[in-house]
């Protein structure tokens, strides 16, 4: 099979699944640009240790965050985020987008606890849906293109 055709198939494959259709609410390309605001605290690192996007380690690794129960990856989360996960919060494009707008307000809402707070002080004014779509896309894309060294939305 010609190499350009393989590249095209590898690029289009993530767009074919039902899970991807749900994530199309945002623009992954705009989300890639928005992620630059997050890189001082977050990286995107595959489970095999391969860096997709190098960044800080103050926040959790965001690889595979979409579809993950809140507060369950290898990171020291705050008690209220862990509680939200125990109460059933699973990160999806819409839930992550709303959380990013104001993390503490979101946790108060989902835990029904007026005293809840988030350890993440950053508030993303806009672009949360795009950012979440990018995080969903990057995990789907890299899972399907295991031989890829680096993954960029172009």
């Amino acid at each position: 099979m010609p190499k350009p055709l393989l590249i095209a198939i590898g690029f289009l494959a993530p767009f074919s699944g039902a899970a991807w259709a749900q994530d199309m609410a945002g623009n992954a390309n705009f989300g890639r640009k928005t992620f630059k605001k997050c890189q001082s605290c977050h990286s995107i690192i595959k489970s095999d240790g391969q860096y997709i996007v190098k960044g800080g380690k103050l926040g959790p690794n965001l690889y595979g965050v979409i579809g993950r129960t809140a507060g369950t990856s290898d990171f020291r989360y705050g008690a209220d985020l862990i509680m939200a996960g125990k109460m059933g919060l699973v990160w999806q494009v819409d839930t992550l987008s709303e959380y990013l707008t104001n993390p503490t307000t979101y946790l108060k809402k989902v835990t029904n606890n007026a005293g809840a707070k988030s350890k993440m002080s950053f508030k993303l004014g806009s672009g949360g849906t795009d950012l979440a779509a990018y995080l969903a896309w990057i995990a789907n894309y890299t899972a399907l293109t295991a031989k890829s060294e680096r993954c960029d939305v172009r």
Side-chain angles (χ1 to χ4, degrees):
M1 193 175 278
K3 189 171 182 176
L5 183 57
L6 287 174
I7 291 169
I9 290 170
F11 177 76
L12 293 174
F15 298 102
S16 63
W20 178 252
Q22 167 192 345
D23 300 330
M24 289 303 286
N27 183 314
N29 193 45
F30 291 143
R32 177 182 59 88
K33 295 172 186 168
T34 302
F35 186 75
K36 291 179 183 193
K37 297 177 183 178
C38 310
Q39 274 184 268
S40 60
C41 297
H42 298 277
S43 292
I44 302 176
I45 308 167
K46 289 177 60 175
S47 56
D48 65 5
Q50 177 187 0
Y51 277 82
I52 298 168
V53 180
K54 288 187 179 185
K57 295 185 180 183
L58 185 61
N61 172 18
L62 296 179
Y63 182 78
V65 69
I66 302 298
R68 181 188 306 154
T69 300
T72 59
S73 69
D74 188 21
F75 183 76
R76 297 183 80 186
Y77 291 100
D80 294 315
L81 186 63
I82 293 170
M83 179 55 64
K86 288 180 179 178
M87 294 173 76
L89 176 60
V90 175
W91 295 124
Q92 299 299 335
V93 170
D94 59 339
T95 56
L96 185 59
S97 178
E98 187 177 351
Y99 173 79
L100 292 170
T101 302
N102 189 325
T104 293
T105 299
Y106 183 76
L107 287 179
K108 287 177 182 182
K109 176 183 145 187
V110 299
T111 62
N112 199 27
N113 175 2
K117 58 185 175 183
S118 173
K119 288 173 59 175
M120 188 170 107
S121 59
F122 180 79
K123 296 176 186 176
L124 185 63
S126 63
T129 303
D130 296 334
L131 176 59
Y134 170 66
L135 293 171
W137 180 85
I138 200 94
N140 286 328
Y141 181 78
T142 58
L144 292 168
T145 57
K147 293 181 180 179
S148 132
E149 297 264 337
R150 180 167 168 82
C151 184
D152 286 323
V153 178
R154 298 200 190 266

